[in-house]
Amino acid sequence: MTITDLTSYEKTLLAKAIEGEIQSVAGDVSTRDAYILKMDTILYSADGILEGLDIKTGHDVTRCNYLPRAVQIHASQVMGRGFDIFSKFDKEDLTEFEEGTQEYEASKLKNKIEAVNADIRRQYIEGVLDDNGGKGFKRRIADIAGSYGYAPVKGFWDEENKKYRLSIMEKPEYYIAIWSNDDFRERDADVCIYGISKSQADRIYGKFLEDGETFNIMSNGKTSDPLNQLSGASNDPKRVTSRRLIQVVEYTGYIPFTDGLKKLEGIKFNALVVGGKIVGFRTNNLPKYYLFQNQLRPGRPYGESDVSEEAIDIQKTLYRDWE
């Protein structure tokens, strides 16, 4: 099924259904984003460590932050030594058959076929890694997950280059999980949200608009808060742009049964929503999202940073002693 199989009314209903699913986890996303922002400020800006410290007037502070090093050390320990890829299979026991019998020869041939298939799988995985930055690819995942608690990766088939791509989401807050149940391990959908300029939206996606339609523009470009651009989650000028952007939502998964969308009941799909308008839809060759969670705790949706609250307190104590 493609976008041509949807009527204008169905596309409108689908856009609203997707928005409803995203808004259903708005509270969870807000809590998660606050944690990401906190860790980002602590790790990559001295302001996060200085917050709450009573530095006397006239005193200088030696801004020597050891916390990023903790993340680097963990990433090196996990991924710095390299690794080998193995592919195994269940080998049939030939001792159960008399040598030379038809059953023996059939099992022997089956083992050979399974061995060849296992080696093909190994070569394929090695090829995918080579196409996506080699073994340093997983080191980057460890860096991001160690900083913020998790690292989302989007896998998809690149039809133009005939390769399977793995794209690390450098800003993990752009990823939203629509959880299936309260153990936070299975998902109804994976969502990627970001902003683009109106000029880019018109150039790339304008051809999908119907006569008289226009893309909805967000009030501002607060890139650290892609779910609700009106709330302004960040005051960091490095993460905020004053340019008014258009929201892009890529939704992969299921939606609840919806009146008027019976054809999508129980169907997994990928939809692209730009400025509130459906501009892409398909039910085959879907992208897959891999969620690499760091220090995952039971019954919690996301992992935690390598930098603990105790480590943060120690760093603040050093700042106090150095003033």
Side-chain angles (χ1 to χ4, degrees):
M1 194 182 303
T2 64
I3 192 171
T4 58
D5 297 307
L6 299 177
T7 66
S8 297
Y9 179 61
E10 287 172 334
K11 286 190 283 188
T12 300
L13 290 178
L14 180 58
K16 290 182 178 179
I18 290 173
E19 181 182 2
E21 285 294 274
I22 296 172
Q23 290 298 335
S24 71
V25 295
D28 302 336
V29 171
S30 179
T31 301
R32 180 206 65 182
D33 286 357
Y35 178 78
I36 291 175
L37 180 59
K38 172 186 173 182
M39 298 314 303
D40 189 82
T41 305
I42 286 173
L43 287 168
Y44 305 112
S45 171
D47 295 339
I49 299 296
L50 292 174
E51 184 178 352
L53 293 182
D54 183 17
I55 306 299
K56 298 177 181 178
T57 304
H59 286 240
D60 294 328
V61 174
T62 303
R63 300 193 178 197
C64 184
N65 189 353
Y66 291 110
L67 298 179
R69 184 59 182 153
V71 175
Q72 295 169 3
I73 290 173
H74 180 253
S76 296
Q77 290 175 337
V78 174
M79 296 296 176
R81 298 180 181 178
F83 53 89
D84 294 317
I85 297 174
F86 297 93
S87 179
K88 60 183 181 179
F89 64 97
D90 293 329
K91 186 177 181 180
E92 291 198 2
D93 185 4
L94 298 181
T95 61
E96 296 182 0
F97 310 102
E98 184 178 348
E99 187 173 353
T101 63
Q102 185 175 358
E103 292 84 356
Y104 178 90
E105 295 300 327
S107 296
K108 184 178 180 180
L109 177 61
K110 183 179 179 181
N111 284 341
K112 289 183 178 180
I113 293 174
E114 291 292 340
V116 170
N117 289 338
D119 190 58
I120 290 174
R121 290 194 299 269
R122 179 189 59 78
Q123 293 180 43
Y124 176 77
I125 297 300
E126 288 182 342
V128 169
L129 284 176
D130 289 341
D131 289 339
N132 291 277
K135 295 179 180 179
F137 170 80
K138 287 197 172 184
R139 168 63 187 264
R140 187 61 186 142
I141 292 176
D143 283 334
I144 296 174
S147 297
Y148 305 114
Y150 73 104
V153 175
K154 177 185 176 182
F156 62 96
W157 177 251
D158 183 352
E159 183 61 32
E160 181 178 353
N161 296 296
K162 304 299 181 183
K163 295 179 179 179
Y164 190 77
R165 295 294 188 188
L166 292 170
S167 176
I168 303 174
M169 299 178 69
E170 293 283 335
K171 294 186 175 181
E173 65 265 39
Y174 282 13
Y175 170 83
I176 295 175
I178 309 296
W179 302 106
S180 296
N181 46 49
D182 61 2
D183 67 359
F184 304 114
R185 295 298 173 264
E186 297 188 15
R187 307 185 293 273
D188 283 335
D190 298 287
V191 186
C192 177
I193 303 182
Y194 56 96
I196 61 175
S197 68
K198 185 179 186 305
S199 176
Q200 187 179 37
D202 288 339
R203 291 196 311 272
I204 301 176
Y205 304 111
K207 60 186 177 182
F208 297 106
L209 293 176
E210 298 185 12
D211 292 341
E213 280 190 328
T214 58
F215 294 119
N216 299 328
I217 302 178
M218 298 184 293
S219 63
N220 53 48
K222 295 189 182 301
T223 57
S224 65
D225 185 20
L227 179 60
N228 180 6
Q229 294 290 325
L230 298 177
S231 66
S234 175
N235 294 318
D236 185 350
K238 296 178 182 179
R239 297 168 64 86
V240 176
T241 173
S242 60
R243 189 173 190 185
R244 300 176 69 193
L245 300 176
I246 288 177
Q247 187 183 70
V248 179
V249 177
E250 184 177 13
Y251 186 99
T252 304
Y254 304 91
I255 57 171
F257 290 1
T258 304
D259 291 340
L261 289 176
K262 190 172 182 60
K263 65 174 63 174
L264 296 183
E265 291 183 358
I267 301 296
K268 188 175 184 178
F269 63 87
N270 172 264
L272 189 65
V273 188
V274 178
K277 308 297 190 299
I278 299 289
V279 298
F281 180 86
R282 55 180 169 163
T283 55
N284 63 336
N285 296 326
L286 303 181
K288 182 176 178 59
Y289 287 84
Y290 305 91
L291 201 56
F292 294 89
Q293 294 154 303
N294 187 65
Q295 297 196 38
L296 185 61
R297 304 292 194 268
R300 291 168 175 78
Y302 299 100
E304 295 183 4
S305 171
D306 287 327
V307 178
S308 64
E309 291 295 330
E310 292 79 7
I312 296 172
D313 288 341
I314 292 172
Q315 181 66 62
K316 288 188 174 184
T317 299
L318 291 175
Y319 270 29
R320 290 192 193 98
D321 293 342
W322 287 339
E323 65 169 306

